[in-house]
Amino acid sequence: MREILTVLEADARATPERIAGLTGIPEDEVRAAIAGWEAEGVIRRYKTVVDWDRLGDERVTAFVDVTVAPERGRGFDDVAERIARFREIRAVHLVSGAQDLRVEVEGSSMKEVADFVAQKLSGVERVTATSTHFLLRRYKDDHQLLTEPEPDQRLSVMP
């Protein structure tokens, strides 16, 4: 049944009929599996990958590494959940390494993102340090290449 999810992850518009054809699983079983996963929260939502740069939409994205002061018995979940509630936040991940969380922030300008980090994010209780990295160019997003393939520069070979 995992192959159903793999097809949907690659193409959220895939119909149960198409999935059945690709996987060999009967269509009624595909429909039942999808309905069950939607009810259980396994399928969280259906998504489209948009190349905002190609559209001309000026968005600024930054990855912010966040250091959190540990507190016995609380872990990082409460801080991560608090941070995730800000509208500017696209994603929050617990990571290994020198920092504890990696946060993806989006705004309309570098100043807006910088102000958010300085005024809101750094003010969250137990956040002790942040390190901001602005995204300069996105080459691939959610398994989708966002660049045009280079044309083949090889010369034709005739036998």
Side-chain angles (χ1 to χ4, degrees), residues 31-85:
R31 287 183 190 280
I34 292 171
W37 290 325
E38 288 171 343
E40 295 168 8
V42 171
I43 296 176
R44 305 298 272 188
R45 68 181 173 119
Y46 295 92
K47 164 181 176 173
T48 300
V49 177
V50 178
D51 187 347
W52 292 106
D53 290 336
R54 189 170 290 205
L55 187 63
D57 190 336
E58 298 292 323
R59 294 171 184 237
V60 175
T61 301
F63 301 100
V64 183
D65 294 330
V66 180
T67 304
V68 177
E71 191 169 300
R72 184 176 291 249
R74 292 178 76 182
F76 298 105
D77 292 348
D78 62 322
V79 176
E81 289 169 5
R82 219 170 320 136
I83 290 171
R85 289 189 189 106

Side-chain angles (χ1 to χ4, degrees), residues 4 16 60 74 99-100 108 115 118-119 123 144:
I4 296 171
V60 175
R74 292 178 76 182
Q99 285 74 36
D100 305 305
S108 59
D115 286 346
Q119 296 171 12
Q144 180 66 48

Side-chain angles (χ1 to χ4, degrees), residues 97-115:
Q99 285 74 36
D100 305 305
L101 301 173
R102 162 99 8 133
V103 177
E104 187 175 344
V105 180
E106 188 174 83
S108 59
S109 68
M110 288 180 81
K111 180 178 180 349
E112 182 180 302
V113 171
D115 286 346

